[in-house]
Amino acid sequence: SQTIHQWPATLVQPVGSPLSLECTVEGTSNPNLYWYRQAAGRGLQLLFYSVGIGQISSEVPQNLSASRPQDRQFILSSKKLLLSDSGFYLCAWSGRMNTEAFFGQGTRLTVV
Amino acid sequence: AQSVAQPEDQVNVAEGNPLTVKCTYSVSGNPYLFWYVQYPNRGLQFLLKYITGDNLVKGSYGFEAEFNKSQTSFHLKKPSALVSDSALYFCAVRALLSGGSYIPTFGRGTSLIVHP
């Protein structure tokens, strides 16, 4: 069966520090991968998606970047965090037929 | 643009009563529709989907959803609510981007509160 791992679960970082959140998927090949941010426990904002290794599409301009160094690994990064980067970050994957998505447990990021 | 709308920020229902969480969609072509549930500080969990076939779709935890093409709706339902059903519910559609990729696009979410 397929599983998705996202870590860490919580993170407190000072303003100006770097960020690296990692997400890995097991039990499937060539998944579509996504990073979402959820503010205030409500709507999901798509940040990045990837349909293959090294292929990253960004949906909104921001202080963040994403990389996909391996087929089932998706990394969200920042060189210098801003207060406004605080939020709940969710990684997800879907199959090539683009039907349902499966989510990681999320990372609560607080920038102080 | 393909999108879904959830007109209610919050739905309150008494335990044991039927519940409905509303969703309408705007899609060109045949819609791929989904429902997800999110518990506090957790990722979203897939509940059910409609792609084709029977308009009444059954999913996890006793939930079901009815696809109505004429009303462009995909409401989530459960015959008898449980307190443990209290959570945030998201409707989603498979949306086609300009680059040719499909991505899941979510509604704003509806908070379901089931009172004992």
Side-chain angles (χ1 to χ4, degrees), chain B residues 47-108:
Chain B
L47 280 179
L48 50 81
K49 65 183 176 184
Y50 172 83
I51 296 176
T52 187
D54 194 348
N55 289 343
L56 185 64
V57 179
K58 294 189 182 298
S60 305
Y61 313 120
F63 284 94
E64 57 189 26
E66 185 170 12
F67 173 68
N68 188 315
K69 189 173 183 177
S70 63
Q71 297 185 9
T72 61
S73 67
F74 189 56
H75 299 334
L76 181 70
K77 300 181 180 183
K78 187 173 183 180
S80 178
L82 301 172
V83 172
S84 58
D85 292 329
S86 299
L88 192 55
Y89 290 81
F90 289 93
C91 183
V93 66
R94 189 186 75 161
L96 176 63
L97 297 181
S98 57
S101 297
Y102 287 98
I103 62 165
T105 298
F106 293 85
R108 282 184 44 80

Side-chain angles (χ1 to χ4, degrees), chain A residues 49-100:
Chain A
Y49 70 94
S50 172
V51 298
I53 297 175
Q55 300 178 59
I56 309 295
S57 297
S58 174
E59 285 299 292
V60 293
Q62 58 208 317
N63 186 42
L64 302 168
S65 62
S67 62
R68 186 171 176 172
Q70 301 181 46
D71 181 46
R72 290 168 290 177
Q73 184 184 27
F74 205 26
I75 298 172
L76 183 69
S77 304
S78 173
K79 293 183 179 178
K80 290 185 178 181
L81 284 169
L82 306 172
L83 287 174
S84 59
D85 292 323
S86 295
F88 192 53
Y89 289 83
L90 291 159
C91 180
W93 74 274
S94 68
R96 282 298 170 189
M97 295 302 291
N98 300 105
T99 55
E100 62 269 31

Side-chain angles (χ1 to χ4, degrees), chain B residues 4-85:
Chain B
V4 290
Q6 295 181 242
E8 304 155 315
D9 281 345
Q10 184 171 304
V11 170
N12 291 278
V13 64
E15 188 174 31
N17 283 0
L19 70 86
T20 299
V21 183
K22 296 180 180 178
C23 173
T24 58
Y25 65 89
S26 174
V27 173
S28 55
N30 296 321
Y32 283 37
L33 296 162
F34 311 88
W35 276 103
Y36 295 81
V37 61
Q38 184 184 30
Y39 297 99
N41 295 311
R42 308 286 285 185
L44 279 68
Q45 297 178 38
F46 167 72
L47 280 179
L48 50 81
K49 65 183 176 184
Y50 172 83
I51 296 176
T52 187
D54 194 348
N55 289 343
L56 185 64
V57 179
K58 294 189 182 298
S60 305
Y61 313 120
F63 284 94
E64 57 189 26
E66 185 170 12
F67 173 68
N68 188 315
K69 189 173 183 177
S70 63
Q71 297 185 9
T72 61
S73 67
F74 189 56
H75 299 334
L76 181 70
K77 300 181 180 183
K78 187 173 183 180
S80 178
L82 301 172
V83 172
S84 58
D85 292 329

